[in-house]
Amino acid sequence: SSVGADGIEEQCDTSKGKWVREPGASIYTNLTCPTYPDINNCGKYGKDQSYLYWRWQPDGCDIPRFEPETFLNIVRGKRMAFVGDSLARNQIDSLLCLLSQAETPREVSRDSSGKYVTWYFPPHDFTLMVMWTEYFVEARPRIINGTASNSFEIHLDRVSTSWAEKLPGVDYAVLSGGNWFFRAIHLYEEGKIVGCVNCREQNLTEFGVAVTIRRALRTALRFISSCEDCEGLVTFLRTFTSSHFENGSWLTGGYCNRTQPSNETRTPPDDVAWEIRKIQLEEIERVRRPESGGKTRFGVLDVTKAMMLRADAHPGDHWTKKSKASVNDCLHWCLPGPIDMWSDLLLATLEKKFLPS
């Protein structure tokens, strides 16, 4: 970090720190947020609420608590899009709840699948959008014996038009992804199959998750930086967050029943999350270089370390009684919860202009 002429620390490295006890919970609850999603309502489904009373304390600086009015004034007249998977949705749901404490958002459009939704805050003329994409690049389920399977075919060199064509006119984009890359995927470039992830087929090159994320992210960032009609766009990449399944995974009975943030010793240094985060930071650096010639700017919301320590704040088995299948959710985050810190960080970044100009 550097100290400016006025003696104020200009940068805050949020990637290092610890969770400290915090007597005040969030500024919203499941009862005070009008857009609240039931699937993240851990309290309603019986989860002990002790996970609420912590805040992320970076080494050597503070992230101020989110102030909805301040945020809305900064983004007055602007359009902000969250582009990505269900964690992008988790993040925008958190932000909507925080902002709703100052002003009630109006839902203005929603596609039939609920994957593209737009909200509007009239007094501030602020538009907030969520745009669904699993991989940032073109993807479709692999058809096996005439039916769509759980595995995908993705084109590493073709950005997905479903979100890309909606980017012009957006002022701030927040990219969020990574978890879908752990599935079985067949990879294409220039229309031809070049390899796969988790497919164990004799004659195909196994790319691995990290390399595949790098290729797809590079395609997305390259598109954004060369986007003709995206003048003034600022793009934030949220770094990867791990799931916390123990003794299994989504479909094999994995669970997450820890009751407080873990300490350092429980974070394995070789965790794949670190590798993915490193790749994400490298790709942001690459697209920032002057020779990439882009007109748009890029920033990072570095939350990997903070969230790695929060195995206690997933819904687990406290998320719905609707389905018979008792799948534990150890990937998404309870609301309120530590994911609200992502908005603290977003606001601090917008306010301090952490972005290289």
Side-chain angles (χ1 to χ4, degrees):
S1 66
S2 57
V3 176
D6 51 4
I8 295 167
E9 190 162 291
E10 287 172 354
Q11 291 270 317
C12 176
D13 182 358
T14 58
S15 69
K16 302 185 179 73
K18 57 182 182 295
W19 289 94
V20 296
R21 290 197 177 273
E22 166 64 51
S26 170
I27 62 170
Y28 70 91
T29 70
N30 54 359
L31 301 175
T32 64
C33 171
T35 53
Y36 195 88
D38 194 65
I39 53 169
N40 306 101
N41 199 343
C42 304
K44 169 181 162 185
Y45 292 108
K47 188 173 171 80
D48 176 83
Q49 299 286 280
S50 56
Y51 62 89
L52 292 173
Y53 299 94
W54 299 88
R55 77 185 160 83
W56 180 243
Q57 174 69 66
D59 299 343
C61 55
D62 278 321
I63 307 173
R65 178 167 273 215
F66 190 87
E67 292 176 351
E69 285 290 354
T70 306
F71 187 96
L72 286 165
N73 284 327
I74 289 175
V75 296
R76 185 183 293 277
K78 305 283 193 195
R79 298 163 68 81
M80 178 180 282
F82 285 73
V83 179
D85 55 17
S86 54
L87 282 167
R89 185 57 185 264
N90 203 175
Q91 183 176 3
I92 204 173
D93 282 332
S94 160
L95 179 58
L96 281 163
C97 282
L98 290 163
L99 294 177
S100 71
Q101 303 312 290
E103 189 187 314
T104 303
R106 211 169 67 209
E107 188 180 295
V108 290
S109 73
R110 170 184 292 263
D111 74 331
S112 57
S113 65
K115 289 178 171 174
Y116 288 81
V117 191
T118 302
W119 296 267
Y120 184 61
F121 294 78
H124 290 86
D125 182 29
F126 172 52
T127 303
L128 196 50
M129 296 170 274
V130 68
M131 302 179 185
W132 174 266
T133 176
E134 298 95 344
Y135 296 102
F136 302 123
V137 293
E138 212 174 276
R140 59 170 178 266
R142 190 155 189 251
I143 306 299
I144 299 174
N145 300 332
T147 51
S149 66
N150 277 330
S151 68
F152 275 74
E153 296 174 352
I154 73 174
H155 291 266
L156 291 171
D157 51 354
R158 288 188 211 158
V159 75
S160 164
T161 53
S162 49
W163 66 271
E165 67 191 11
K166 295 179 177 63
L167 206 58
V170 169
D171 299 286
Y172 300 103
V174 182
L175 306 186
S176 188
N179 293 92
W180 284 74
F181 289 84
F182 289 85
R183 296 186 172 219
I185 318 173
H186 283 70
L187 307 172
Y188 291 77
E189 276 178 341
E190 296 180 354
K192 299 192 226 356
I193 192 154
V194 290
C196 62
V197 180
N198 293 327
C199 70
R200 294 185 273 288
E201 281 181 31
Q202 308 306 309
N203 54 353
L204 287 179
T205 308
E206 171 67 49
F207 270 49
V209 170
V211 173
T212 307
I213 287 178
R214 188 190 291 279
R215 296 276 187 94
L217 182 59
R218 187 174 298 177
T219 297
L221 293 177
R222 194 181 282 149
F223 164 77
I224 293 169
S225 87
S226 60
C227 168
E228 285 295 312
D229 305 313
C230 298
E231 199 67 53
L233 172 65
V234 176
T235 302
F236 297 101
L237 177 65
R238 178 199 49 89
T239 62
F240 183 76
T241 56
S242 350
S243 60
H244 290 95
F245 290 98
E246 295 183 41
N247 297 340
S249 63
W250 272 110
L251 302 171
T252 59
Y255 58 81
C256 42
N257 55 6
R258 297 187 178 273
T259 54
Q260 58 180 31
S262 42
N263 60 20
E264 293 294 322
T265 55
R266 289 200 52 82
T267 63
D270 57 354
D271 190 291
V272 67
W274 286 124
E275 190 186 356
I276 294 171
R277 170 184 173 273
K278 177 170 170 286
I279 281 169
Q280 290 173 321
L281 298 182
E282 286 168 2
E283 291 304 314
I284 285 285
E285 275 312 307
R286 164 189 283 270
V287 78
R288 271 179 180 163
R289 285 183 208 139
E291 66 269 21
S292 58
K295 299 183 293 294
T296 54
R297 291 188 296 159
F298 294 87
V300 171
L301 302 176
D302 194 342
V303 298
T304 301
K305 173 68 180 290
M307 304 312 278
M308 198 176 265
L309 301 173
R310 293 308 305 268
D312 59 320
H314 298 287
D317 60 353
H318 301 283
W319 65 282
T320 176
K321 300 287 179 271
K322 285 202 267 297
S323 68
K324 292 282 179 282
S326 56
V327 176
N328 293 316
D329 182 353
C330 304
L331 172 65
H332 305 100
W333 304 95
C334 296
L335 295 178
I339 192 173
D340 296 329
M341 181 274 270
W342 301 5
S343 293
D344 297 345
L345 198 49
L346 178 60
L347 174 53
T349 307
L350 291 172
E351 271 194 302
K352 294 229 178 19
K353 312 273 188 293
F354 283 175
L355 292 169
S357 54

